[in-house]
Structures are given as structure tokens and as C-alpha cells.
Amino acid sequence: MESSTMTKEKRETRVLVLYTGGTIGMKKMDGGYQPKTGFLQSQIKRLPMLYDEEYTKVDLIERSTAARCENINNAENTPLLEELAMPISSHGVRVLYYIKEYNPIKDSSNMTISDWIEIALDIKDNYKNYDGFVVIHGTDTMAYSVSALSFMLENLGKSVVFTGSQVPIYEQRNDGRDNLLGALVIAGHYVIPEVTLYFAGSLYRGNRSTKVSAGSFDAFDSPNLPPLVTMKVKIEVQWDAIFRSNNGSKFSVHTNMNPNIGLLRIFPGITAETVRAFLKPPMLGVVLQTYGCGNAPNNRDDLITEIKKATRRDVLIINCTQCLHGPVVDQYATGKVLMDAGVIPGSDMTPEAALTKLSYVLGKTELSFNQKQELIRNNIRGELTVAHTKEQFSLKDNSFIAAVASSLQISSSKEMKYIRQALLPVLMSCATSAGNVKTLEELLNQGADVNATTDYDGRTALHIACVEGNSEAVKFLLQHGASTQVRDRFKSSPLDDAIKFRHKELVKTLRKAGAQLMKTSMESAVELCRLAAKNRVEDLLVWQLAGVDLNACDYDKRTPLHVAVCRNNAETVAFLLEHGVNPYLRDVFG
Ligand code: ASN
């Protein structure tokens, strides 16, 4: 599996399914729909699109032994799970999956923070052994769990897809079958290193999603971010929009979630007593759901006083709108009054994301209050859109280039594609001249063309690296397909630049990579004779390393040796003779 395409060679992928509960596996009983142990797996085995019975029968013993040998499916705390095989997909991939049923399986209304921790630890314990993860979960609190897990799983590098259904999978008309199928296909085919939610044909970023319907199969929406994947005739993945929070560190799990959090929805006439009671200790983090784009009454000193008292006690308060769409902004006096009271604007975060982020951030006990506030304000898992900052950046600054480079990956809008096309070459040029190979690598991973011209003069990153004499960048670019034969507007190749700036080692590297001098022998002769006249032995050496013929002659058939002798330039004469120049060549004058 790859991040942007599916690998052709790899035919089998393994997905661990954590079945926590929810309607999908419930059965109608006397007391209404209830979870029933073992029921979901038995129903799945009746569905050919989810279970390839023939394949399972063949070589069953052989394959399960192989699985054990590969240390698949036997992580600590995980009993040996039955291998279920999907039929081979149209992409030539067979997804093998293993269902770990929780004990007890729950209606998601009964979920607590400890359930989030259990899911996180299961992913951690099995991380190495599977290509992706599916979490089957009830829909009622799925948006909370998926948001919480998006924060708890740090430096995630694999797909984690939550799904469930509105109608149990055993019923004739149900959405469970397609939802589970879609989630398994995504987790088994694509590396989308986020915690996501798949429902009714769309894959949403988990911390952007919310349950919007109790009666429709389209139960979820992501009001402020379009889906990351849409299942149509073809599977459309918005690779530009994938948020890659992995900063190169090892995958880890943060389980210290603080329970002293709450959601407070303001309403006309809310009393100061209610607010005071809600904010009193042990409360440490509150999502304040305000009107419109983040407004609260600015004629209610009593309310604001209570909020101020709480923020002064280091209670983290986030301002989120009661509206489904749109962010909190600071346009109105009624919004500013909250900012002045120390409330943090939550941009376009869903209340579920804001609440679970508070629990996560408050669990980072090593951080100061200011650092926690900063983390809340920042976009750490793609959960919020960061408003434009007025800070000045410089394209000469490595960290800025790196920041822009990574932020290009988290884009969500269509225009980002065009911005990226325009910016990537510029960033390539900046990263090259700053000698920042790591950023170059990141840019290439994001689709930058290694041979793109980075400015109006048609110069490529390799030209720039050759001028700068940055051998690490030159080697990196050559290894990644940079052409040595490109010429800029003034007909200079990267080799010409390396010669001009006397970077001998680079000249050798370029020659090894197949670089050819693109000068006529007359052009070379004119240049060599000029250097010989000036006794510039160092330059002549660079030209010689570049593969020039030191016997090249000008219009009068005069060679650099003729010129050096006439000028009595002994070092040049010695150099030329040492390098095999023919002393018997005659010019037109005999
Ligand atoms: N009450 C169920 C649950 O959240 C609803 C569902 O899954 N559709 O577990």
C-alpha cells in the first residue's frame, strides 16, 4: 500500500477490526435492539462481498500457520483471531481481516473515556502487525470517540477508520453491509494516516464529523471540511486534503485523558449562577457553545465576570459556535468580550473535537497553562482551520519553507491544488539554496517536479545547488531524477554553473551522473584560450574535469598551449603538458 496509489505487487493486506458495539451487530430482542456476542461475525460470514468462503476453505491450516509465523494476529492481549478474507478487489488486493470483539460490546451511549483508552491501546499493541485498522462503533457517540482517538494516536502512519450503521447488518434493508465494506476497502487499500469515519459512501476526517441524523442512512456530516474519500463508481481520494500529523517520530499513544471537561451551551437568559456552578472546580476545560460566529451577550457583566474568574483559575475555555457551519471570528463586540475574558477562539472545530482536544491537552501535565492554550489554538490533527496570521515570513528561512511545505499537505480546498502548483517550484528553489535536503524530500513527496523551472530564467533546483556548491543537495537531486542536461534562459547547464563557480567535486559528481558539456569545440577553445592567457590554472583544471578537450583550437587553429607559451605562462604550460596536450599542433600561420 502507498499513500497515493496502490502497490501492484502486494496482493494481500491485513486489517484489524476492533468491534466495540453499536447497532450494526445488534439484534431485536424484548428490550429493543441490543448487542449480541458473536452475532456480527456470524452475519458477516453470510455476505459474499465481505467473506470469500471458497478462499477461506482452501489451505486454511497452511495460511493460519503462516500468519502465526509472521507474528500477525498474535500481539499480546489479543487472542488468536479468526482470519476472514474479502474477495480480491478490482485493484487486485485481497483484504484479510480479523475481528476482535470487545467484552462487553456496547451501545455507544455507554462509552466512556476508558473505552477510548482501550481502543487506543489495542491499536498500539497491534500496530506493527496490521496494515490498517477499522473500529466498529455505535453511531450515537462515534463523533466523540473518533475525535478523541484522533488526538490520542500520535504520529499515526496507518489508516484508522471508524464505522457503524443505523440498521443492524442482519436486517434485509441495512446500511451496515456497505459501511463495513467501504471501511475495510479503505483501510485495506489506502494509507490515509488519520483517524477517519466512514459512513454512507463518504470518508470524513474523524475530528471534523458529527452525527446529524437519527433517521437517515446519511447519519454523519463534516460541516466544515469536504469528505476525504468519496465512494463513487471509482473511489475518489482527495490526497491534497489528507492531514499528515506524523513528524517523523515513532507512533505512540497518549492515554492520560482528563475527565474534568464539559460543554456549556449558552442561551438567552442563562443565569450567572448556572455558569458559576458549571465552571466551578474540578472543572478544567470547557467548550462554550456561543451564538453565530462566536457571540455572547456583551451587556451581561455578571456572566463575563464568572467566565473571567474561571480563566484566571487556569480553566481552559474554548469558544465554539452553536451553528453547524462556519468558524468563530472576532468581528463583533459580542465576540470580543469573550476573548477579553480569556476565552480561546475555537475557529471551526466541532464541539466533539473541541471537547476531546481539551481532555487530551489537559492530560499533557508537563505543559504550562500557556503552552496548553497554544496547543488548543493550533491545528494539531486537521481539526480546525487556522485563521490568517499577520506574522511576516521570509522565504530564506528554513523553518518557514518547511512549514509551508507541510501545510501544503493539509490543504482541503480545491484552489490549494493551484497554489501548490505555483508554490512548489518556488519552495524547491528556496529549499535548495538554503541547503535543506529534508524539505526538498518532503516537497518531492508532495509531488513537486524535480526538474521544474523555479524562476523566470528557467533555472532548476539542480542549477541552484550547483551555484551554491551544495554537494548533498546535488546528490539528492540527481538520485531523484534531476536532469543534468537542462539549460536555463542563458543556455547554461548545471555543469556550466559548477564550472563557473569552480566546484570541482560537483563537476566530478555531475560527470559521473552523465553530464555532458554542451559547448561547441570553438566555444570551449575561446574560453580555454582566454584562461590560458590569464594563467588561470585552477579554472583550466575544472574544465578538464568537466571533460573538455584541452587541444581545442580557435579560428586560427591556435590552442590554449599556443596562447600560454606566447604569454610565457609557465604554470599553464606545465599543466597543459601534464594533461597530455599535443605540443606539435600547428596554427594557420604554420
Ligand atoms: N444506539 C446505537 C449506538 O450508538 C446507535 C447506532 O449505532 N446506530 O450504539
Side-chain angles (χ1 to χ4, degrees):
M1 295 205 304
E2 278 178 22
S3 56
S4 54
T5 52
M6 276 164 285
T7 316
K8 299 275 184 297
E9 317 86 59
K10 192 165 182 184
R11 315 307 287 177
E12 280 185 354
T13 57
R14 289 176 167 80
V15 174
L16 179 64
V17 178
L18 301 174
Y19 170 35
T20 70
T23 299
I24 190 167
M26 287 190 188
K27 199 158 188 234
K28 210 175 222 154
M29 299 197 246
D30 288 347
Y33 282 129
Q34 278 172 38
K36 190 169 177 289
T37 307
F39 186 59
L40 179 66
Q41 184 145 338
S42 67
Q43 293 306 306
I44 285 175
K45 285 180 155 181
R46 298 170 56 181
L47 299 169
M49 67 295 297
L50 287 171
Y51 183 64
D52 185 342
E53 202 175 350
E54 283 309 303
Y55 175 82
T56 310
K57 275 187 202 150
V58 175
D59 294 341
L60 181 69
I61 301 161
E62 213 174 280
R63 277 183 299 102
S64 57
T65 314
R68 244 168 281 153
C69 293
E70 284 174 48
N71 197 23
I72 298 288
N73 186 10
N74 64 351
E76 257 175 70
N77 313 325
T78 309
L80 199 61
L81 303 171
E82 185 183 353
E83 181 181 277
L84 303 174
M86 290 176 81
I88 295 184
S89 72
S90 56
H91 301 286
V93 176
R94 184 185 295 283
V95 179
L96 302 173
Y97 61 106
Y98 311 78
I99 302 181
K100 179 179 178 187
E101 184 171 299
Y102 278 30
N103 185 15
I105 35 175
K106 290 184 178 176
D107 185 303
S108 75
S109 307
N110 294 326
M111 290 277 180
T112 62
I113 289 182
S114 62
D115 294 296
W116 302 342
I117 296 172
E118 187 175 350
I119 299 170
L121 290 177
D122 267 336
I123 293 175
K124 180 180 163 221
D125 291 344
N126 293 283
Y127 192 72
K128 279 203 307 286
N129 297 333
Y130 295 89
D131 298 297
F133 298 86
V134 166
V135 181
I136 299 179
H137 195 289
T139 56
D140 289 343
T141 63
M142 197 188 301
Y144 291 90
S145 299
V146 74
S147 297
L149 266 291
S150 78
F151 298 113
M152 297 165 80
L153 304 185
E154 298 178 334
N155 295 301
L156 183 64
K158 297 188 179 187
S159 306
V160 177
V161 186
F162 273 63
T163 198
S165 75
Q166 296 279 65
V167 174
I169 205 163
Y170 82 95
E171 293 205 358
Q172 188 183 38
R173 281 184 61 250
N174 75 78
D175 55 335
R177 191 191 71 179
D178 279 350
N179 287 346
L180 182 56
L181 180 65
L184 283 168
V185 165
I186 291 170
H189 284 71
Y190 301 101
V191 179
I192 297 177
E194 293 202 34
V195 181
T196 52
L197 186 156
Y198 181 77
F199 225 86
S202 295
L203 183 82
Y204 303 109
R205 176 168 302 152
N207 55 36
R208 293 288 193 148
S209 57
T210 190
K211 185 168 178 182
V212 289
S213 172
S216 146
F217 284 155
D218 248 337
F220 287 88
D221 195 9
S222 164
N224 293 311
L225 189 82
L228 303 176
V229 178
T230 332
M231 293 283 194
K232 297 191 182 161
V233 174
K234 285 198 165 163
I235 301 174
E236 290 176 8
V237 184
Q238 304 302 318
W239 289 110
D240 274 358
I242 308 299
F243 187 89
R244 294 163 207 279
S245 57
N246 188 322
N247 62 11
S249 315
K250 217 171 140 223
F251 170 70
S252 62
V253 166
H254 172 97
T255 51
N256 186 22
M257 299 292 277
N258 193 304
N260 298 315
I261 47 170
L263 282 157
L264 178 62
R265 186 177 171 102
I266 61 160
F267 53 88
I270 188 170
T271 65
E273 288 70 38
T274 303
V275 175
R276 187 184 321 129
F278 193 87
L279 294 176
K280 77 172 198 286
M283 190 61 83
L284 287 173
V286 172
V287 180
L288 192 66
Q289 289 190 270
T290 56
Y291 310 129
C293 45
N295 303 318
N298 64 346
N299 59 358
R300 291 282 310 275
D301 284 350
D302 56 341
L303 287 188
I304 300 301
T305 307
E306 293 306 328
I307 291 171
K308 263 191 198 153
K309 276 200 259 170
T311 56
R312 286 202 193 118
R313 281 199 313 272
D314 285 359
V315 176
L316 287 168
I317 306 183
I318 310 182
N319 183 356
C320 284
T321 173
Q322 295 176 11
C323 300
L324 199 54
H325 295 269
V328 160
V329 292
D330 58 357
Q331 274 168 357
Y332 296 92
T334 41
K336 288 210 174 89
V337 75
L338 288 176
M339 297 247 269
D340 294 342
V343 176
I344 308 161
S347 183
D348 52 2
M349 257 192 289
T350 61
E352 293 92 332
L355 185 81
T356 52
K357 188 175 182 182
L358 276 171
S359 175
Y360 168 79
V361 170
L362 286 165
K364 298 251 165 211
T365 44
E366 69 282 10
L367 300 181
S368 68
F369 182 66
N370 282 350
Q371 287 170 320
K372 287 179 189 156
Q373 280 183 313
E374 202 50 35
L375 215 51
I376 293 288
R377 226 174 261 125
N378 289 347
N379 179 17
I380 57 174
R381 300 282 193 277
E383 73 280 8
L384 59 82
T385 307
V386 179
H388 171 73
T389 85
K390 296 191 184 77
E391 262 178 82
Q392 293 293 310
F393 293 113
S394 158
L395 280 175
K396 286 191 179 140
D397 172 358
N398 267 349
S399 55
F400 170 62
I401 300 162
V404 174
S406 355
S407 68
L408 283 178
Q409 284 187 316
I410 61 161
S411 62
S412 54
S413 63
K414 212 155 116 197
E415 305 89 69
M416 207 61 191
K417 193 170 146 206
Y418 304 113
I419 295 176
R420 168 191 282 216
Q421 273 166 6
L423 272 183
L424 282 177
V426 180
L427 293 173
M428 286 281 287
S429 139
C430 298
T432 309
S433 62
N436 191 343
V437 174
K438 213 169 155 250
T439 302
L440 274 179
E441 189 172 5
E442 199 179 323
L443 291 165
L444 292 186
N445 286 340
Q446 286 175 40
D449 175 3
V450 73
N451 288 312
T453 51
T454 60
D455 64 11
Y456 294 106
D457 291 332
R459 294 174 62 70
T460 64
L462 189 59
H463 278 104
I464 297 166
C466 286
V467 169
E468 300 295 336
N470 189 326
S471 60
E472 216 196 323
V474 168
K475 279 184 197 145
F476 174 85
L477 291 165
L478 290 173
Q479 276 158 11
H480 288 80
S483 165
T484 53
Q485 299 311 102
V486 282
R487 298 226 231 171
D488 67 10
R489 189 149 72 103
F490 312 104
K491 303 267 178 290
S492 269
S493 69
L495 182 58
D496 294 325
D497 285 341
I499 295 170
K500 191 163 156 196
F501 290 89
R502 294 194 202 158
H503 298 307
K504 279 186 260 171
E505 288 310 311
L506 286 193
V507 168
K508 286 190 210 162
T509 310
L510 288 163
R511 289 279 293 156
K512 260 201 212 144
Q516 305 276 350
L517 265 180
M518 290 189 284
K519 301 236 177 288
T520 62
S521 84
M522 189 62 71
E523 281 168 340
S524 304
V526 170
E527 181 61 17
L528 292 179
C529 290
R530 188 182 71 82
L531 296 172
K534 296 194 165 176
N535 203 20
R536 300 257 289 263
V537 178
E538 262 305 287
D539 291 280
L540 285 166
L541 174 63
V542 181
W543 277 89
Q544 186 268 331
L545 291 172
V548 78
D549 175 10
L550 292 174
N551 285 312
C553 47
D554 68 9
Y555 291 103
D556 295 330
K557 290 227 178 320
R558 288 174 67 72
T559 65
L561 186 57
H562 281 107
V563 177
V565 170
C566 285
R567 296 283 178 115
N568 201 16
N569 288 340
E571 290 100 324
T572 300
V573 173
F575 169 83
L576 292 170
L577 291 175
E578 261 168 45
H579 286 84
V581 164
N582 183 352
Y584 303 108
L585 289 178
R586 290 169 180 269
D587 67 11
V588 288
F589 313 107

